[in-house]
Amino acid sequence: MRDTTGLMLAVAGALAMGYALAALFFTRFWRRTRVALFGWFALAFALLAAQRLALILFEVPPDAFPWSHVVRLAAFLLILTGIALQNRAPRGSR
């Protein structure tokens, strides 16, 4: 069986970079518009980037950590919370 550790680290690094980039874009949109939805998205993507960085730094296979799934669930719940709050806000505050 081939060792895929290097490949897994490269993919995790690319994902972390993509999540961090998305967090930066949403942070910029939030700072420009002050729409809370962008802030929720920025927070969620920052959490996903931190999760990927933790997997890289600790060099543990992603399936070995059940907490990594909990972190991803928390990030997706942040996105859902942001969408729900945005849809409940009055029309003038959107």
Side-chain angles (χ1 to χ4, degrees):
M1 183 170 220
R2 296 175 58 180
D3 184 24
T4 59
T5 304
L7 178 63
M8 289 178 56
L9 287 175
V11 170
L15 286 172
M17 182 188 69
Y19 289 142
L21 190 63
L24 289 175
F25 274 116
F26 282 117
T27 300
R28 188 176 75 181
F29 296 148
W30 174 74
R31 289 184 67 188
R32 186 179 301 166
T33 63
R34 293 294 177 190
V35 173
L37 179 65
F38 295 138
W40 286 101
F41 273 56
L43 188 61
F45 280 106
L47 192 60
L48 288 171
Q51 180 242 357
R52 284 293 161 184
L53 281 177
L55 289 175
I56 294 169
L57 293 176
F58 297 126
E59 295 183 8
V60 175
D63 295 338
F65 273 143
W67 61 264
S68 70
H69 298 293
V70 173
V71 171
R72 287 197 330 215
L73 176 66
F76 292 126
L77 288 176
L78 284 174
I79 291 172
L80 289 176
T81 300
I83 291 171
L85 291 176
Q86 184 70 25
N87 286 332
R88 291 184 64 191
R91 287 251 178 223
S93 64
R94 290 184 186 178

